[in-house]
């Protein structure tokens, strides 16, 4: 629920203020937001996280996330092109 996401967000923010280089927890935070569908928040989290931490798991999440976003965008663009082509026929 949105209340659970807000509670978790507050906990992550408080924790990461104390431990800004804790890459594993930055990744958990970003994953939590992604599961909630807050993709813009994930981008913002990653911008902060990647400046603060060199954690391999965090960078792996970043690469996986950006790949998923790119594939999703490409699929959406392909679907739009197919709809346009069908409309022209």
């Amino acid at each position: 629920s949105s209340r659970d996401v807000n509670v978790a967000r507050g906990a992550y923010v408080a924790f990461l203020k104390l431990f800004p280089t804790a890459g594993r927890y930055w990744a958990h935070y970003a994953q939590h937001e992604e599961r909630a569908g807050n993709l813009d928040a994930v981008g913002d989290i990653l911008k902060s996280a990647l400046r603060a931490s060199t954690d391999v798991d965090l960078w792996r999440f970043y690469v996986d996330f950006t790949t998923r976003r790119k594939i999703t965008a490409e699929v959406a663009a392909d679907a739009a092109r197919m709809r346009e082509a069908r409309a022209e026929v």
Side-chain angles (χ1 to χ4, degrees), residues 57-79:
D57 290 329
L58 172 64
W59 281 91
R60 185 176 298 130
F61 175 79
Y62 167 73
V63 169
D64 292 345
F65 175 74
T66 54
T67 301
R68 285 191 302 275
R69 292 285 299 248
K70 184 175 191 296
I71 289 170
T72 301
E74 288 173 357
V75 168
D78 287 346

Side-chain angles (χ1 to χ4, degrees), residues 30-41:
Q31 290 166 351
H32 194 97
E33 292 289 356
E34 182 180 25
R35 283 190 302 273
N38 301 327
L39 301 182
D40 290 337

Side-chain angles (χ1 to χ4, degrees), residues 2-89:
S2 64
R3 182 179 182 281
D4 294 337
V5 171
N6 289 333
V7 170
R9 186 179 298 126
Y12 281 118
V13 168
F15 178 84
L16 291 165
K17 279 184 183 178
L18 294 173
F19 303 100
T21 60
R24 171 191 242 170
Y25 291 94
W26 281 109
H28 289 308
Y29 180 20
Q31 290 166 351
H32 194 97
E33 292 289 356
E34 182 180 25
R35 283 190 302 273
N38 301 327
L39 301 182
D40 290 337
V42 175
D44 294 340
I45 292 164
L46 288 172
K47 285 178 190 173
S48 297
L50 296 173
R51 288 185 195 123
S53 178
T54 58
D55 183 79
V56 171
D57 290 329
L58 172 64
W59 281 91
R60 185 176 298 130
F61 175 79
Y62 167 73
V63 169
D64 292 345
F65 175 74
T66 54
T67 301
R68 285 191 302 275
R69 292 285 299 248
K70 184 175 191 296
I71 289 170
T72 301
E74 288 173 357
V75 168
D78 287 346
R81 282 192 293 274
M82 289 174 68
R83 282 192 299 278
E84 290 172 7
R86 286 185 190 137
E88 292 176 6
V89 174

